[in-house]
Amino acid sequence: MTNDPAELLRMARELALEAGRLIADRQREAHITATKSSGVDIVTQVDLASERLLRERIAGLRPGDGILGEEGQDVPGSSGITWVIDPIDGTVNYLYGLPSYAVSVAAVTGPARSHEWTTLAGAVFDGSGRLWSAGRGLGAWRDGEALHKDGAPPLAESLVGTGFQYVARSRAAQGQFVAKMLPQVRDIRRLGAAAVDLCLVAAGHLDAYYEHGLHAWDFAAGSIIASEAGVKVAGIDGGAPDEHLVIAAHPAVWNELRDALETAGARELLAAP
Ligand code: IPD
């Protein structure tokens, strides 16, 4: 068994496709079975079925790998690879029949649950039936089409995606923050699935994206897809993105966006006390 990005990419695509088909088939029967950080942070029985499927497949295909998943216990591994999985990113959209949701699967090396890891491969299968994928040093694709983000407008003409946490107090702060960003950009989009948002930046359907308070499984796969397409995906100091803040934009506009975010208070917003 190797930790070759091409092999991990093949497996990430297979996992995302299989779980993506399962959730698409079961969308009509989805109902809420639990809530998490707040009453509006939901889990459906299909999130659990999709996560179960992903965990079984990973354990069968690469039993030495670790797993970090949204809906279950961490599994420590011995191979140096951890699979970071979101069985349904955008669960609220999924429940309401909106297309911006996805299965997100990434293979990373290095310490799990940390901005120190290196993502080797990722795949996102979205609710519109598109398979987005990337391997480290290999490139990024939407289905069979290679993605290259060439150039970008200045911030004032950028369409910028973002999102909000589920806890009311955090949302109130994020609402005040986005009000400071809105007059500085072409417009803001809140589409509801971070993994898909990052793929949309890779393909040029959004110019940029930022979000505070994501979990690793929300951005691990989308980040490698965007960065392999030529997007800079980083935290506030330009290092790896992390659970405090993810900023994604073409390198020509990334600093301008980061500076605007910083001036608006991004460093302090939702920072750990
Ligand atoms: C959520 C989505 C959403 C983002 C939230 C995430 P989930 O993921 O990615 O766009 O704004 O912060 O929690 O909970 O649907 O897997």
Side-chain angles (χ1 to χ4, degrees):
M1 188 159 304
T2 76
N3 294 348
D4 172 23
E7 191 178 303
L8 295 167
L9 171 59
R10 257 191 310 277
M11 182 164 148
R13 284 175 175 155
E14 276 169 27
L15 292 170
L17 271 173
E18 190 179 358
R21 290 195 183 114
L22 176 140
I23 67 173
D25 287 350
R26 296 187 56 182
Q27 189 169 14
R28 278 166 178 271
E29 65 189 69
H31 58 265
I32 299 170
T33 53
T35 58
K36 297 186 289 185
S37 62
S38 77
V40 293
D41 184 3
I42 57 172
V43 182
T44 72
Q45 88 282 22
V46 191
D47 291 76
L48 302 178
S50 173
E51 176 127 351
R52 230 174 5 250
L53 172 77
L54 291 167
R55 285 173 180 265
E56 279 169 18
R57 289 290 179 272
I58 293 165
L61 291 165
R62 292 183 54 107
D65 291 359
I67 302 177
L68 173 61
E70 180 168 20
E71 314 296 352
Q73 300 282 322
D74 298 359
V75 175
S78 54
S79 66
I81 298 294
T82 300
W83 290 90
V84 183
I85 57 177
D86 192 339
I88 305 180
D89 180 44
T91 304
V92 173
N93 282 344
Y94 178 74
L95 184 71
Y96 279 76
L98 295 168
S100 198
Y101 68 82
V103 174
S104 174
V105 176
V108 309
T109 58
R113 223 181 259 289
S114 152
H115 57 277
E116 287 164 25
W117 72 38
T118 302
T119 306
L120 296 179
V124 170
F125 186 71
D126 72 21
S128 304
R130 297 173 294 198
L131 178 65
W132 307 82
S133 62
R136 189 171 183 79
L138 301 174
W141 296 266
R142 172 181 44 204
D143 299 317
E145 179 195 347
L147 298 171
H148 307 282
K149 191 164 168 87
D150 300 322
L155 187 61
E157 291 163 27
S158 291
L159 187 60
V160 179
T162 192
F164 309 113
Q165 289 199 323
Y166 293 111
V167 175
R169 212 162 132 228
S170 306
R171 293 181 151 201
Q174 287 178 296
Q176 286 170 1
F177 181 85
V178 77
K180 293 185 200 154
M181 294 304 297
L182 185 53
Q184 303 185 60
V185 299
R186 181 186 297 281
D187 210 342
I188 294 281
R189 292 289 180 270
R190 196 292 191 247
L191 300 175
V196 180
D197 292 341
L198 285 159
C199 295
L200 295 178
V201 179
H205 298 298
L206 291 173
D207 294 308
Y209 166 80
Y210 77 87
E211 186 162 345
H212 284 88
L214 288 174
H215 293 290
W217 45 77
D218 297 317
F219 66 82
S223 293
I224 188 171
I225 292 163
S227 57
E228 284 291 322
V231 174
K232 178 168 176 175
V233 186
I236 190 92
D237 290 318
D242 57 32
E243 296 193 344
H244 176 240
L245 181 59
V246 176
I247 307 171
H250 188 273
V253 76
W254 193 92
N255 283 342
E256 193 188 359
L257 173 59
R258 193 272 312 278
D259 292 350
L261 291 166
E262 182 151 33
T263 304
R267 213 176 265 280
E268 299 76 34
L269 185 70
L270 307 188

